[in-house]
Amino acid sequence: MSGQILILSGPSGSGKSTLLSRALKEIDGLVFSISSTTRAPRDGEIDGVHYHFVSEDEFKKGIEAGEFLEWANVHKNFYGTSLIQVKKALGEGKIVVFDIDVQGFKLAKEKLAKIITSVFVTTVNKDELKRRLKFRATDSDNVIENRLLNAVGEMEHINEYDYLIINDDLQKSYESLKNIISSMRLKASGVNVHELLQTWIGD
Ligand code: 5GP
């Protein structure tokens, strides 16, 4: 079986990262694609674990050198997915997990649609998202307003994703994500038919 890509998009504050970190801890064969970003680290974020934190100069050099599978400008910062890292994990037959925005999803889909399963995660409404962003207290009011505005724009693309998780109950949402991952493993499209047939015929 060759590798696959699982893309999770959705507004910051939707609980996407919480769902993802639990999945990465508990489910075998998943690898997180660590993006590069020019955004400053938040409290508790570790360079090389949550993101590769780079300068704008470094990021632009990376673009010129073709190091990104996709990249986008989100909330006035650059974010991008490293091509080398993804290729390696795919070659090892892993499910590579991308936490990327709608623009990045579209670019990745143009190149790798066949191996992508996509999920949009959001809150039950905008007020709930605002409450979570305020509770998190990592962003100023201006940044929060910008993120809310961006969230509305992203929600318009929900139909382009394979699955939607409305995260009003973390446990239920996690079960949904687990089921999606299980169904990815059952996809016939990634099976090596020749190898399977040899075993199946048995001589
Ligand atoms: P945050 O600053 O809250 O960590 O992320 C902001 C947004 O950027 C989120 O929607 C997240 O999914 C997106 N993002 C993170 N990494 C990447 C990436 O490599 N490429 C793209 N296109 N978006 C990303």
Side-chain angles (χ1 to χ4, degrees):
M1 187 81 168
S2 52
Q4 297 185 59
I5 293 172
L6 172 63
I7 294 186
L8 260 83
S9 298
S12 319
S14 61
K16 208 178 27 170
S17 312
T18 310
L19 289 170
L20 259 183
S21 48
R22 184 162 167 204
L24 287 159
K25 247 187 244 147
E26 295 181 9
I27 305 171
D28 283 342
L30 295 189
V31 184
F32 182 56
S33 156
I34 305 164
S35 297
S36 297
T37 184
T38 58
R39 161 167 86 61
R42 294 191 187 115
D43 273 355
E45 282 184 334
I46 303 162
D47 188 31
V49 176
H50 300 95
Y51 280 108
H52 297 293
F53 294 100
V54 298
S55 68
E56 209 166 300
D57 253 16
E58 277 175 273
F59 197 97
K60 285 182 174 161
K61 276 186 194 145
I63 295 175
E64 276 166 30
E67 284 170 14
F68 297 116
L69 169 67
E70 62 72 38
W71 63 271
N73 196 309
V74 190
H75 314 308
K76 302 179 182 131
N77 288 301
F78 288 102
Y79 294 83
T81 304
S82 152
L83 192 60
I84 293 187
Q85 197 196 147
V86 172
K87 271 191 179 166
K88 183 172 174 282
L90 286 177
E92 290 164 359
K94 301 264 170 62
I95 292 180
V96 196
V97 186
F98 293 11
D99 172 347
I100 62 176
D101 82 322
V102 168
Q103 309 168 68
F105 161 60
K106 288 189 175 188
L107 291 170
K109 212 168 128 181
E110 274 170 22
K111 295 179 184 161
L112 296 163
K114 272 194 169 167
I115 57 168
I116 291 176
T117 300
S118 56
V119 185
F120 195 94
V121 183
T122 190
T123 50
V124 74
N125 57 38
K126 190 178 162 198
D127 274 354
E128 174 60 14
L129 185 64
K130 190 171 184 175
R131 196 190 62 74
R132 288 191 197 173
L133 288 173
K134 287 212 178 241
F135 178 74
R136 191 163 84 177
T138 47
D139 301 313
S140 66
D141 281 357
N142 265 354
V143 173
I144 290 180
E145 279 314 313
N146 191 16
R147 286 183 187 270
L148 287 172
L149 212 71
N150 202 52
V152 175
E154 289 218 321
M155 298 272 294
E156 285 172 9
H157 297 270
I158 281 178
N159 279 154
E160 293 160 41
Y161 285 76
D162 298 319
Y163 299 100
L164 170 66
I165 296 179
I166 295 181
N167 183 21
D168 56 350
D169 175 325
L170 202 59
Q171 182 57 28
K172 277 193 192 151
S173 300
Y174 181 66
E175 292 299 325
S176 302
L177 182 62
K178 243 170 64 174
N179 288 338
I180 292 167
I181 294 167
S182 301
S183 70
M184 286 175 77
R185 297 215 158 98
L186 298 173
K187 276 189 178 173
S189 53
V191 170
N192 182 328
V193 178
H194 189 67
E195 248 175 43
L196 182 83
L197 264 180
Q198 264 187 339
T199 323
W200 193 81
I201 293 165
D203 53 29

